[in-house]
Amino acid sequence: MRRVLLAGAGVLGLAVAIHVPGMWTALGADAKSAFCPFGAAPRLATRSAPTTPRPALGFTLDVTTRSEIDAWAQARGVTCQARRGGGVLECEQRAALATTTLWFRFAGTTLAGIQTSRRTTADGVATAFAETEAALTTVLGDPSRRQGDPAASALARGALRQAMVEYRAPAYRAVVRATNMGDGFVLTESYAN
Amino acid sequence: MRTLVVFAFALVGCTPETSIRPDTKARTPIQAVSCASVTPTVTVMTFGLAYSPDPTTVAAGSIVQFVMAPQHNVTSSSPGLAVGFGATTCLEFPEPGTYTFECASHKFTGTVIVTDGPEVPEGPGAKLVCPSSGRNAFDTYGVAAFVAVNEEIFTLVLADLDANGTTNLGDSFTKIGTGIPPSTSDDLATFKGKLAAFLVWAYGGPASITYTDGKPYVGPQDMVIAHTGLGITSAQYDFFVANIIVPALTNKGVTGDDLAMCFAPVVTAPTFKATMVGK
């Protein structure tokens, strides 16, 4: 019975995360349609998840499986390599204005964490930051911590200017940072249990 | 050349009483020169019962200025290495070697290390000016802040390793002390001391420090050697700077304008990044 409940919660959590606006923007405009089993369905705002959701870039920690990540990468043409004895999958996604490196960490065959580093423009990083923050806030509520001004103009004022938001929930922590690296701008995201 | 006056009180513990070994090598004597006619490389002062900075590393031929409090002096078996109680004296060290000295009254000791190589270069951030003070980062924030930032870096690294394993940081920290690859041969305490010394020197502080473990560390280091075999990628470097370095600095009170003006140019310089990425 417990297994059934957990599985149900997992599917619901994944569905919620997939439909959070902005989650997929960082990975490409058509990512949702490429993976979403429900098409461009509206966000599941009327149902509450029985457990704390743990969204991570459109995936769900402790729910998404390695085979699902592999399928996502294959569908998107994302290049991935196994690292750390297979426990980490390092992927790189190139787009016109951004290059994203993603590190997927697995516990067995289940997704345990994601970290990303995305090089893009000042406007690109500001937009991605705002979309990601809005998406996480929709699912998790207000962030537990926020620092810095994420506007492109503020980040562009000097190297190492940074804005960050952090979300904490039981067995979950998400940190998003937009940083001026001097020679470009970086959006980093970290999702872990 | 700029005179460095460094109060390294946070780094210098009480030095245990030691006897000064007689110097049996024949050396060109240390010479006193007029402070009015020279620009010292380093100024050694006293703070409590310690010399500061200690040890002091300079190139052969450098001038070290000693500024003694009234109750302290410098005595040594090395010919010419002597400064009176309360005196300010400039001494030229013509030959390489390790010169130890002590306060005759209180027996705390100090060391000047004279190298035979070229003069220790100025750190890449030594001339960067912090808007908050008009001075470089080290002179603005001081050695205690640099120690705090260094410790914070390791705190954040350990937290990241705890939460994310080696997902992003790879082997850069988990192989500390293993020696495989050789760049990881230092144990954690040595690694910490070396990083602290590098940061202090890089941002305008002295070229050598005594860290909280009581051991001396030299600031100028070969960053390529230190990172060879680690295979750090550009994305990992970005992630590390954004998630470890910037938070460590801001958590310890570095303001945004100072971060941009007197810290960032070192960290974000392509030449600096190139010493660590892809090695």
Side-chain angles (χ1 to χ4, degrees):
Chain A
M1 182 62 181
R2 185 167 176 269
R3 184 176 296 177
V4 172
L5 286 173
L6 283 173
V11 169
L12 180 59
L14 180 61
V16 167
I18 286 170
H19 291 82
V20 169
M23 278 286 185
W24 290 99
T25 306
L27 300 178
D30 61 339
K32 183 189 285 184
S33 60
F35 186 73
C36 176
F38 308 105
R43 167 165 81 233
L44 300 179
T46 55
R47 296 178 64 184
S48 58
T51 59
T52 304
R54 281 174 271 182
L57 276 179
F59 306 106
T60 303
L61 303 185
D62 291 335
V63 173
T64 302
T65 64
R66 177 149 191 162
S67 59
E68 287 171 332
I69 299 290
D70 289 339
W72 164 83
Q74 192 169 14
R76 300 285 305 149
V78 175
T79 307
C80 297
Q81 283 188 309
R83 306 276 191 206
R84 332 297 312 160
V88 172
L89 193 65
E90 182 177 324
C91 302
E92 186 171 281
Q93 184 178 40
R94 291 183 179 275
L97 294 175
T99 299
T100 306
T101 301
L102 306 98
W103 297 274
F104 297 97
R105 180 169 57 90
F106 297 95
T109 58
T110 306
L111 182 65
I114 303 177
Q115 292 178 303
T116 75
S117 179
R118 182 186 190 212
R119 273 260 177 185
T120 184
T121 61
D123 287 336
V125 82
T127 300
F129 184 93
E131 289 182 349
T132 306
E133 180 181 7
L136 289 171
T137 300
T138 299
V139 178
L140 299 162
D142 289 336
S144 54
R145 196 158 62 107
R146 180 188 283 117
Q147 285 181 341
D149 184 347
S153 58
L155 294 170
R157 280 176 50 202
L160 301 190
R161 288 278 183 181
Q162 187 178 82
M164 70 84 75
V165 284
E166 177 181 5
Y167 296 81
R168 282 184 180 275
Y172 177 82
R173 181 176 182 240
V175 181
V176 182
R177 297 180 191 273
T179 307
N180 181 338
M181 297 296 293
D183 61 348
F185 295 81
V186 167
L187 183 80
T188 61
E189 297 171 68
S190 182
Y191 304 92
N193 288 330
Chain B
M1 197 176 303
R2 199 168 61 87
T3 301
L4 295 175
V5 182
V6 179
F7 296 90
F9 56 90
L11 299 179
V12 182
C14 295
T15 308
E17 186 172 326
T18 56
S19 60
I20 297 177
R21 291 189 298 275
D23 185 359
T24 55
K25 289 182 185 172
R27 287 172 168 157
T28 304
I30 295 164
Q31 304 250 353
V33 295
S34 168
C35 290
S37 62
V38 296
T39 302
T41 303
V42 177
T43 295
V44 175
M45 306 179 77
T46 52
F47 192 89
L49 295 178
Y51 296 103
S52 177
D54 180 52
T56 298
T57 302
V58 295
S62 296
I63 308 294
V64 178
Q65 181 183 45
F66 290 85
V67 180
M68 294 297 103
Q71 67 274 29
H72 301 312
N73 72 342
V74 168
T75 60
S76 172
S77 59
S78 297
L81 181 48
V83 181
F85 289 97
T88 294
T89 302
C90 289
L91 299 177
E92 180 180 6
F93 288 76
E95 288 199 5
T98 299
Y99 299 87
T100 55
F101 50 89
E102 71 174 16
C103 173
S105 295
H106 304 93
K107 304 301 180 188
F108 60 85
T109 63
T111 304
V112 172
I113 300 168
V114 181
T115 65
D116 60 357
E119 189 173 322
V120 176
E122 198 173 47
K127 287 190 165 55
L128 299 174
V129 176
C130 295
S132 68
S133 67
R135 297 178 295 165
N136 69 31
F138 183 79
D139 289 342
T140 300
Y141 289 93
V143 72
F146 273 74
V147 171
V149 167
N150 193 56
E151 293 294 325
E152 182 73 356
I153 287 171
F154 284 88
T155 298
L156 294 175
V157 163
L158 291 175
D160 193 77
L161 287 172
D162 187 47
N164 302 298
T166 56
T167 305
N168 174 268
L169 292 173
D171 289 334
S172 300
F173 291 89
T174 55
K175 287 193 172 179
I176 288 173
T178 65
I180 304 171
S183 55
T184 62
S185 58
D186 291 329
D187 60 23
L188 182 60
T190 304
F191 187 21
K192 274 188 177 183
K194 281 187 169 181
L195 181 57
F198 176 79
L199 293 174
V200 164
W201 166 76
Y203 287 105
S208 59
I209 62 168
T210 298
Y211 198 52
T212 52
D213 60 356
K215 295 179 180 175
Y217 295 97
V218 176
Q221 295 162 42
D222 190 326
M223 288 291 110
V224 174
I225 291 175
H227 296 88
T228 295
L230 296 178
I232 296 169
T233 66
S234 183
Q236 284 177 313
Y237 184 83
D238 286 348
F239 195 95
F240 186 78
V241 170
N243 288 271
I244 304 293
I245 299 299
V246 175
L249 290 165
T250 54
N251 290 352
K252 296 304 172 186
V254 177
T255 61
D257 287 340
D258 283 356
L259 199 59
M261 299 303 292
C262 59
F263 284 93
V266 175
V267 177
T268 60
T271 49
F272 182 69
K273 182 177 176 180
T275 64
M276 302 183 193
V277 171
K279 303 302 173 195

